[in-house]
Amino acid sequence: MAIVACGGSGGDDAPAEPAGPTPPAAPALAEQIAARTHYFGAENVDATTGEVRKDLVIMSWASNTTYAAAINGKVVLLDASLLRREQAPGRTPTTLPEMVALMPSYIVLGKAAPGYADLAANIAFRTGATVVGAAEHCDVVEADARRQQSWTGSAKLLKCTVVVPKDQAVGLSVNTLSLPDLQACVRAVKHTDAAVTVADPTLPAAAFDWSLYSDPRDAAWWPVGTAATDGITTTGAATGPSVLYHLTLGSGQSFGMLWNDRVGSLKENSPAAATLVRSLPKTDVHIGSVDVGNASSNGLRDAALYIQAAQPKIFFPAGHDAASQRAGAFNTGELMKRALEEAIDNVGIVNPPELRVNFDPTDYVKPHYMTFDPAAAGWQQAGDKASATACN
């Protein structure tokens, strides 16, 4: 009986490896309904069950490059971090407990570094969400979970699906992952966020200063609250890989979405990655970082080159709040839009996308601006690239 209790046979009396720590109970249904209603709108969430309607893609900007999306009724987090994270909703009008209450199915990581993946391990552990990312991302969030739970055993604490193999070269290939419950094909490209800081001699001179025209009233309007002191953050490093994602929705729909949470000088550092982005299926909505590393020498050229490669119909800038808050200037959204329009002209984009800007902080956690009907006929237009629903 002792052998049976230890799970052993053949005289092996070594003690069984203990199971990992047990996640806490899921948030109450009322909390889940409240969180999903906040993020996706009362008109899109069943007030009794918390189910999100399946016929729309609904997104909310949580800050920086973190978005909550409802795809085929499933909740997906793109990155998992909050700027100005406080114990109660403040300038960023949400909290870690509310993000947990969304009960996401997936957490997709573009960068396993501070500002991008701080909350990924904690949310994944508490909700059972599957993390999707590069192999290095999986290593980082598993290490974060172990540190947070004081766990040193061999059992894995998180579910993590590798879409980009470990140590894959930048710009090597388009990696694919089928997610049937989302009715989506995910295509992932490892790109670079390294920036060249010398002026591009082939383009008109351009510069952008995130610190211009700061409004001194901002601090009074949005006073700093009590910072979260739970110690939940990531140990990831800025040197880890950056991954860009393209999602194509299936079931006869013709809708493609691209998201990149970092932006680098692909022209000089990885033209192969730019070629891969150009090879992706049709992109209708592109959510891309504009927090470039060479704004003082090339304006927003690098962000514009990502747009040129993806050829989206609609572009949402991301990361502009992080850049402006670092510089002490909060109200730079409109100036950023003008600088991006100038960069789009300078690089020679023939059919520029419609630029839609979410403003810090008034557009945090508001789905009205980022709700799409993937079955709408308007997504397929003359001259579009093919919309590849098959994941191959």
Side-chain angles (χ1 to χ4, degrees):
M1 290 181 64
I3 293 175
V4 173
C6 291
S9 63
D12 183 1
D13 57 357
E17 172 68 31
T22 302
L29 180 58
E31 295 177 86
Q32 297 178 39
I33 293 171
R36 290 184 171 190
T37 299
H38 184 201
Y39 270 81
F40 303 124
E43 69 278 17
N44 299 318
V45 178
D46 188 296
T48 302
T49 66
E51 292 184 356
V52 187
R53 60 188 295 180
K54 297 181 178 181
D55 59 326
L56 300 176
V57 173
I58 310 163
M59 302 187 69
S60 271
W61 182 40
S63 70
N64 196 18
T65 57
T66 294
Y67 295 81
I71 302 173
N72 194 32
K74 304 288 186 181
V75 177
V76 179
L77 294 181
L78 305 178
D79 277 348
S81 186
L82 294 173
L83 292 179
R84 287 269 297 262
R85 189 165 75 89
E86 298 169 348
Q87 292 183 1
R91 184 188 188 94
T92 306
T94 188
T95 60
L96 171 58
E98 186 175 49
M99 294 181 76
V100 170
L102 288 172
M103 292 301 290
S105 297
Y106 296 96
I107 302 172
V108 182
L109 294 181
K111 186 83 173 180
Y116 303 91
D118 300 79
L119 310 179
N122 187 268
I123 295 173
F125 178 73
R126 294 165 67 181
T127 65
T130 298
V131 178
V132 175
E136 293 88 343
H137 298 165
C138 291
D139 292 343
V140 165
V141 293
E142 178 66 25
D144 285 344
R146 288 166 170 268
R147 172 177 51 83
Q148 292 168 18
Q149 302 302 322
S150 300
W151 173 244
T152 59
S154 61
K156 292 281 190 181
L157 298 187
L158 305 181
K159 295 178 291 184
C160 193
T161 298
V162 172
V163 67
V164 176
K166 194 174 184 67
D167 296 327
Q168 185 178 82
V170 170
L172 178 65
S173 66
V174 176
N175 307 274
T176 60
L177 172 66
S178 178
L179 297 177
D181 55 339
L182 300 185
Q183 297 182 358
C185 177
V186 177
R187 293 175 172 84
V189 173
K190 184 176 177 180
H191 65 117
T192 176
D193 53 20
V196 170
T197 56
V198 296
D200 188 335
T202 69
L203 297 177
F208 182 68
D209 183 354
W210 287 101
S211 66
L212 286 176
Y213 306 115
S214 179
D215 192 327
R217 299 169 297 177
D218 191 273
W221 287 338
W222 301 100
V224 176
T226 303
T229 57
D230 49 28
I232 295 172
T233 184
T234 181
T235 55
T239 54
S242 293
V243 180
L244 169 151
Y245 294 90
H246 184 281
L247 280 74
T248 302
L249 301 190
S251 297
Q253 299 167 345
S254 178
F255 182 78
M257 183 173 72
L258 188 145
W259 168 73
N260 60 285
D261 67 353
R262 301 280 285 181
V263 56
S265 298
L266 296 185
K267 181 177 180 179
E268 294 86 2
N269 292 331
S270 184
T275 298
L276 292 180
V277 175
R278 286 192 291 270
S279 76
L280 293 171
K282 174 174 71 76
T283 297
D284 298 300
V285 174
H286 180 182
I287 303 161
S289 175
V290 294
D291 187 5
V292 302
N294 60 359
S296 62
S297 54
N298 282 308
L300 301 187
R301 179 207 69 161
D302 287 347
L305 291 176
Y306 277 73
I307 295 172
Q308 185 179 53
Q311 301 176 36
K313 295 180 179 67
I314 299 172
F315 180 79
F316 287 90
H320 47 294
D321 56 336
S324 59
Q325 288 187 31
R326 281 200 310 273
F330 298 108
N331 301 293
T332 57
E334 184 60 37
L335 294 174
M336 177 276 301
K337 181 181 179 183
R338 296 176 194 174
L340 183 57
E341 289 172 335
E342 178 185 8
I344 286 172
D345 287 341
N346 285 347
V347 303
I349 297 177
V350 178
N351 295 307
E354 174 188 348
L355 298 183
R356 297 187 184 179
V357 180
N358 286 310
F359 288 92
D360 159 29
T362 54
D363 290 327
Y364 289 143
V365 195
K366 290 184 178 176
H368 63 284
Y369 207 33
M370 301 185 76
T371 297
F372 314 103
D373 180 359
W379 297 120
Q380 190 63 52
Q381 298 180 6
D384 276 348
K385 293 192 292 185
S387 180
T389 56
C391 202
N392 53 34

